[in-house]
Amino acid sequence: QVQLKESGPGLVQPSQTLSLTCTVAGFSLTSYNVHWVRQPPGKGLEWMGVIWNTGGTRYNSALKSRLSISKDTSKSQVFLKMNSLQTEDTATYYCARVGYWGQGVMVTVSS
Amino acid sequence: EIVLTQSPTTIAASPGEKVTITCRASSSVSYMYWYQQKPGASPKPWIYDTSKLASGVPNRFSGSGSGTSYSLTINTMETEDAATYYCQQWSSTPHTFGAGTKLELK
């Protein structure tokens, strides 16, 4: 069945780079777009960006200078990299495709 | 960027009561998507293409709207419907979300 699962470090130091992986199952990354969405504790959802099934990307302009999304289709993995992290980047990060979301991974930015 | 404004921010309803949540877009969108989120859980796709219920969603839920005005309606509130509901547009990037409506049980 369709599954998405995020993985990555739970703690990142300020000014460092966040690297997250979304491993998918039950569908091909050549057929579906995958989005990244984040949610700070107690707050709403923020769309971060998308990698299209074709490999193209689109980012939220508020994050564009810091954000990169890529994928390895053969491994069914999508990658998120975001640099210059600050405390306000503390959030649960989700990957999602139409109809399905991952469980999310909580990332805390703190020294 | 299309801004989505949800109202109300919070609403309390008794079992059996009808509930309507609205989502207004700053520019016209083709469709609206709705998600249900309970504490500690991922958002669940709830309504897609404005009015189609996701798999497993009870038919007491419905969605409607067009252009810049959309709504999610619960015909008769049930205990399990207490949650936060978010709207999202996919018409243009960034695919913005509304700020959410917290539905509480009265």
Side-chain angles (χ1 to χ4, degrees), chain B residues 30-34 46-55 57-66 69-73 88:
Chain B
S30 300
Y31 297 100
M32 193 59 71
Y33 298 80
W34 294 89
W46 211 245
I47 295 175
Y48 65 99
D49 291 353
T50 300
S51 60
K52 299 175 183 175
L53 302 185
S55 178
V57 174
N59 60 14
R60 61 181 178 273
F61 283 87
S62 63
S64 64
S66 65
S69 185
Y70 293 83
S71 62
L72 176 156
T73 298
Q88 185 191 23

Side-chain angles (χ1 to χ4, degrees), chain A residues 35 39 47 58 94 101-103, chain B residues 35 37 42-43 86 93-95:
Chain A
H35 303 254
Q39 184 173 37
W47 183 84
R58 193 67 64 94
Y94 299 99
W101 287 54
Q103 65 190 20
Chain B
Y35 302 86
Q37 187 179 34
S42 306
Y86 294 93
T93 56
H95 293 323

